[in-house]
Every structure is written in C-alpha cells, then in structure tokens.
Amino acid sequence: MPELPAGVERRSFDGVERLATRGEPVYGEPTADGWRAWNPDRSKLGAMFELGMDTGLEGGETVLYLGAANGTTVSHVADFAGPTYAVEFSPRPTRDLLEVAERRSRLFPLLKDARKPETYAHIVEEDVDVIVQDVATRGQADVALRNRRFLAEDGRLLLAVKARSEDVTASPDSVFSAVRESLESGYEILESRRLEAHHMDHLGIVARPQK
C-alpha cells in the first residue's frame, strides 16, 4: 500500500485505528492528543487514502481544492498540505468554510464557481502541485480540464466523480466511462477505483497532465 503523506497518520481513537491529521476539530470528529480522525465515509479523498490509491501526495504541496463545501475534507488537506485554495460556489457552506479557515493560516476560501476558473485566476498561483476535485455538477471532466491551467507539469489531479450528479438516468458504469474518455483529452489517467466501500456511485481518479 502506498505511504501516506507526511502529516497523515493512522492513530487510535477509542481503540480503533483510523486516518488522522493534526489540527483543530471541525465537524465533531473524534480527537486524541492533538490528532483528529478523518472519516472516509464523509470524505472522498479520505476514502481514496483508505482504499490504498496512490495519490502521489507527500505533504506540503500547494493545493487547489474544487468543491470545498463546509470544509470537512479541505480542513484535513490544509492540516498537512501547503497553501490550499478552497473554491466553493454556494454562499451558505462558504460561511462555514470561512470559520474553518480562521484557525488554518494555509487555507484560503474562495466564493467562486469551479466551472469558471478565469474568475479566480488572479488569485490562485500557477503551477499548483495538486488539484482535488469534488463537485456535484454535470460536466465534471470539463471542470477538471478547465482548471488544468493551474496544474504543474508533474502535478496530480485527484478527482471524485459523482455519477448521479453527472446523469441520474444513466448507469454509473456508463457515466464513469464517459468521464474518463473526456478527461483523457487533457490528462493521463494513472489509477481509478470505485469508492463504493465508502461512497455509493463514486469513482476516484488519479491523473496527471498530458505532456
């Protein structure tokens, strides 16, 4: 199984070994000795780690996080990564995200639409190491392709594809196949895996920009 990034460990909480990062709690998760449990049932990236996907993360990377919502997962990312730009479209969860960022100096919330990267291109630095994408919208491959402009040549895309957000009438297998095909116009897919153990009708993808 691939090594976890620096700053992500398996720690014991009430006798159960779980993924964890060191930081202030956010959503009522168990804590112990300054560590906070990372629930893979509430985090697609956490599920990718739990399932042993090779994300390429080592810790300290600059991250562009698309679909930050209330900050559940991106708070863990900011615990172990470097500067973390958190894009969220909806004002209500962004208010929660701002509160999370108050206790994390490396977390920068942006009330923006991930489908329109030109609206935050003046804020997000070029050559980010990682794009983490978890957006509930149609055209999820298109979002990844539009935001490829920010990714370093040797960077990684960590994408959680939500089948039901893409097309509620199609089978998840058909959706995943179509997303992969579209994505390959700008990315090389390194690994993909169903996240069913933690998230129904989701596919995790690790990719890098095509040369």
Side-chain angles (χ1 to χ4, degrees):
M1 183 174 288
E3 291 187 7
L4 294 169
V8 181
E9 295 185 7
R10 294 190 180 278
R11 311 284 296 193
S12 179
F13 297 88
D14 297 324
V16 178
E17 189 177 83
R18 301 176 61 177
L19 289 171
T21 60
R22 183 180 288 277
E24 293 290 327
V26 170
Y27 52 97
E29 66 276 25
T31 60
D33 301 322
W35 292 83
R36 47 193 294 253
W38 189 348
N39 185 351
D41 294 336
R42 296 188 60 174
S43 167
K44 285 77 175 187
L45 181 59
M48 292 169 75
F49 282 135
E50 195 67 61
L51 295 171
M53 295 184 69
D54 188 358
T55 65
L57 288 169
E58 297 179 352
E61 292 91 351
T62 300
V63 177
L64 173 60
Y65 195 106
L66 306 175
N70 302 74
T72 298
T73 297
V74 77
S75 65
H76 286 289
V77 173
D79 285 347
F80 72 85
T84 302
Y85 300 95
V87 175
E88 173 52 44
F89 177 66
S90 300
R92 177 62 189 90
T94 299
R95 289 198 291 272
D96 294 336
L97 184 59
L98 286 168
E99 292 184 14
V100 173
E102 287 179 358
R103 294 172 288 173
R104 287 173 171 81
S105 62
R106 298 191 296 270
L107 180 57
F108 305 102
L110 301 172
L111 179 58
K112 299 291 184 181
D113 187 342
R115 296 169 297 183
K116 301 176 181 179
E118 65 276 6
T119 63
Y120 47 88
H122 62 294
I123 301 172
V124 177
E125 60 189 86
E126 295 182 356
D127 296 334
V128 302
D129 301 304
V130 181
I131 293 176
V132 179
Q133 181 177 320
D134 182 12
V135 295
T137 185
R138 287 180 179 268
Q140 292 167 76
D142 186 57
V143 171
L145 291 165
R146 287 173 180 266
N147 283 273
R148 181 182 179 278
R149 61 192 286 180
F150 300 110
L151 196 57
E153 288 186 5
D154 59 347
R156 290 290 183 273
L157 168 70
L158 307 178
L159 170 61
V161 182
K162 307 170 188 288
R164 297 308 179 193
S165 294
E166 196 69 37
D167 187 343
V168 72
T169 65
S171 71
D173 285 341
S174 297
V175 170
F176 297 149
S177 179
V179 169
R180 285 175 56 97
E181 184 177 351
S182 297
L183 198 64
E184 286 173 342
S185 66
Y187 288 93
E188 176 188 356
I189 296 176
L190 303 176
E191 183 180 3
S192 63
R193 183 163 179 175
R194 295 284 288 260
L195 305 182
E196 239 71 15
H198 301 283
H199 300 277
M200 187 65 67
D201 298 333
H202 281 72
L203 181 74
I205 294 177
V206 180
R208 65 186 176 194
Q210 286 186 1
K211 303 296 185 184

